Amino acid sequence: MNDAELQTWVEQISLNSFGIAFRHRARFNSRLRTTGGRYFMKTHDIEINPAQLDNFGRDEVERIIKHELCHYHLHLAKRGYRHRDPEFKALLAKVGGSRYCQSLPGSSKRRTLPYRYHLICEACGMTYPRKRKVDTHKYRCGKCSGSLKQYKLKEQV
């Protein structure tokens, strides 16, 4: 599917589900990683993650489009368009849009880094695992206020 087909699909969903025409631009954005789509308040354009279509099919992307169209129509009507607003939640439930998109396979691996350092209190032995190096002169133990010493863990192969 290309951007022109997505544009007509979004226009059709807008007319069928909301009864209002979509008069702005819809396009795919392959740089999106953690979200299924997004709505731009300044330009009123919508971007959709093409990986959602590849991995989960047209039904899931249609729910994402409905989610973004809820933002679009409520924002243009000067009503509550944010996720926490009751008007947004009610419209989303009415049209059958998804509240959250499904996680893409392999996307959670990039976020987790192993702990590389341990801070150990010299007084009580309390340990604090850390992913980044810390200036131990600025911090004290949260349990006994003792001084901390930093140790680098051996790298896992």
Side-chain angles (χ1 to χ4, degrees), residues 72-127:
Y72 172 80
H73 290 301
L74 289 171
H75 182 249
L76 290 178
K78 295 183 178 13
R79 294 169 58 201
Y81 60 89
R82 293 175 291 191
H83 290 128
R84 65 177 179 242
D85 293 329
E87 292 173 318
F88 178 81
K89 291 178 184 178
L91 183 60
L92 190 65
K94 180 182 172 187
V95 298
S98 64
R99 185 95 164 99
Y100 304 101
C101 69
Q102 295 184 29
S103 296
L104 292 169
S107 63
S108 63
K109 291 179 184 173
R110 292 178 45 190
R111 291 183 174 202
T112 58
L113 294 174
Y115 292 117
R116 297 189 303 170
Y117 299 95
H118 269 247
L119 300 178
I120 300 176
C121 176
E122 294 180 329
C124 70
M126 181 77 177
T127 62

Side-chain angles (χ1 to χ4, degrees), residues 28-34 38 47-50 110:
F28 285 113
N29 184 349
S30 60
R31 293 185 312 270
L32 297 177
R33 293 283 175 238
T34 60
R38 62 182 173 181
E47 288 185 345
I48 301 295
N49 188 346
R110 292 178 45 190

Side-chain angles (χ1 to χ4, degrees), residues 2-155:
N2 58 23
D3 286 347
E5 293 170 336
L6 176 67
Q7 179 74 32
T8 57
W9 190 22
V10 170
E11 290 170 358
Q12 179 185 15
I13 291 171
S14 181
L15 282 174
N16 293 342
S17 298
F18 297 88
I20 305 170
F22 177 73
R23 300 192 194 290
H24 291 85
R25 191 169 161 218
R27 61 185 171 271
F28 285 113
N29 184 349
S30 60
R31 293 185 312 270
L32 297 177
R33 293 283 175 238
T34 60
T35 185
R38 62 182 173 181
Y39 164 67
F40 293 95
M41 290 190 298
K42 288 186 179 180
T43 62
H44 307 295
D45 293 344
I46 291 176
E47 288 185 345
I48 301 295
N49 188 346
Q52 290 286 332
L53 182 64
D54 297 339
N55 288 301
F56 304 114
R58 291 180 64 94
D59 292 336
E60 180 65 23
V61 174
E62 184 171 336
R63 287 190 286 274
I64 292 169
I65 290 170
K66 287 179 180 179
H67 177 104
E68 301 308 327
L69 284 172
C70 284
H71 289 299
Y72 172 80
H73 290 301
L74 289 171
H75 182 249
L76 290 178
K78 295 183 178 13
R79 294 169 58 201
Y81 60 89
R82 293 175 291 191
H83 290 128
R84 65 177 179 242
D85 293 329
E87 292 173 318
F88 178 81
K89 291 178 184 178
L91 183 60
L92 190 65
K94 180 182 172 187
V95 298
S98 64
R99 185 95 164 99
Y100 304 101
C101 69
Q102 295 184 29
S103 296
L104 292 169
S107 63
S108 63
K109 291 179 184 173
R110 292 178 45 190
R111 291 183 174 202
T112 58
L113 294 174
Y115 292 117
R116 297 189 303 170
Y117 299 95
H118 269 247
L119 300 178
I120 300 176
C121 176
E122 294 180 329
C124 70
M126 181 77 177
T127 62
Y128 302 94
R130 292 289 178 260
K131 294 181 181 183
R132 294 183 181 179
K133 206 169 189 177
V134 176
D135 184 6
T136 56
H137 298 292
K138 289 183 177 181
Y139 301 100
R140 307 290 287 186
C141 175
K143 186 176 179 184
C144 71
S145 298
S147 61
L148 299 172
K149 189 160 183 180
Q150 184 165 256
Y151 294 96
K152 183 172 173 110
L153 297 175
K154 294 181 181 177
E155 292 188 22

